Amino acid sequence: MKPRAAVFLDRDGTLIEEVGYLDQVDRVALYPWSTDAVRALNRAGFRVVVVSNQSGVARGFFTESVVEEVHRHIEARLAAGGAHVDAYYYCPHHPDGKVSAYARRCDCRKPARGLVDRAERELGIEPARSFVVGDRWLDVALARAVGARGVLVRTGYGATEEPRPLEGLDADAVTHNLIEAVSWILQRR
Ligand SMILES: [Mg+2]
Ligand SMILES: [Zn+2]
């Protein structure tokens, strides 16, 4: 299998609206441009992989089955517009979690690279040809950790985070939202 480029998308604040801990599927709100953005990546030949920190599982705010239900719901909304996500990966852990099965340090909570490593293994992704898009500096830090390019979007926490980068961190681009990030990516492949 020839290694492929991927666009790793953060979920909350990037693909769907940031609503705090998303504990019910009826609180899912895609941005108006999300389906178009994902479809454009599909057509350009990128794998599209959602990579998300869901520490609400470790904190006991919701279960993994809720996370999976949310992903099925997003996927159905995307499918209605002819778009699809190739895989949804998430980290359910947190060192200070209340649910013992998930209360630990792990290698998959962004900016750690575990979720990207999994995509490399399972989907044949080549990180060095890939991109990470997210609304937090930790998403850009993930890009740096795996040798991908990182785009910060101003939706979600992005506008608040933009003036306060993590130490030594610089995005390859800062865009208003996901559709602009996708335009930037498509001009650079
Ligand atoms: Mg986010
Ligand atoms: Zn984890």
Side-chain angles (χ1 to χ4, degrees):
M1 185 164 57
K2 185 169 171 282
R4 292 182 64 174
V7 177
F8 293 98
L9 298 181
D10 171 54
R11 195 190 80 182
D12 304 340
T14 302
L15 182 63
I16 64 175
E17 286 184 28
E18 171 61 62
V19 295
Y21 291 100
L22 179 50
D23 56 358
Q24 286 173 217
V25 72
D26 61 11
R27 299 177 70 209
V28 173
L30 272 77
Y31 291 109
W33 49 79
S34 290
T35 300
D36 289 344
V38 172
R39 192 177 53 241
L41 294 173
N42 295 148
R43 289 187 175 163
F46 283 102
R47 297 280 189 173
V48 179
V49 182
V50 167
V51 289
S52 182
N53 284 349
Q54 295 299 327
S55 69
V57 175
R59 297 177 202 274
F61 297 159
F62 48 83
T63 62
E64 287 203 68
S65 72
V66 170
V67 178
E68 282 154 19
E69 186 186 5
V70 165
H71 293 167
R72 283 195 299 275
H73 178 80
I74 294 171
E75 199 52 25
R77 291 283 311 278
L78 292 173
H84 71 275
V85 166
D86 293 283
Y88 292 82
Y89 293 156
Y90 63 92
C91 166
H93 310 114
H94 195 277
D96 305 325
K98 300 223 174 345
V99 181
S100 60
Y102 303 104
R104 59 179 173 85
R105 295 199 172 281
C106 65
D107 67 359
C108 56
R109 180 171 168 77
K110 299 182 293 186
R113 58 180 292 156
L115 299 178
V116 170
D117 289 342
R118 185 176 161 197
E120 186 172 5
R121 228 166 34 236
E122 295 182 357
L123 306 172
I125 300 303
E126 186 176 350
R129 290 169 53 219
S130 299
F131 297 81
V132 180
V133 182
D135 67 319
R136 309 285 300 264
W137 284 108
L138 62 79
D139 296 300
V140 177
L142 172 64
R144 286 289 169 271
V146 301
R149 280 175 280 183
V151 182
L152 183 76
V153 291
R154 295 194 183 104
T155 49
Y157 292 113
T160 311
E161 292 236 336
E162 184 184 359
R164 301 187 206 113
L166 296 176
E167 183 81 33
L169 206 56
D170 199 10
D172 292 286
V174 180
T175 65
H176 282 107
N177 55 36
L178 177 59
I179 194 80
E180 284 191 10
V182 166
S183 299
W184 185 88
I185 289 167
L186 294 180
Q187 286 161 22
R188 265 153 201 88
R189 63 169 329 201

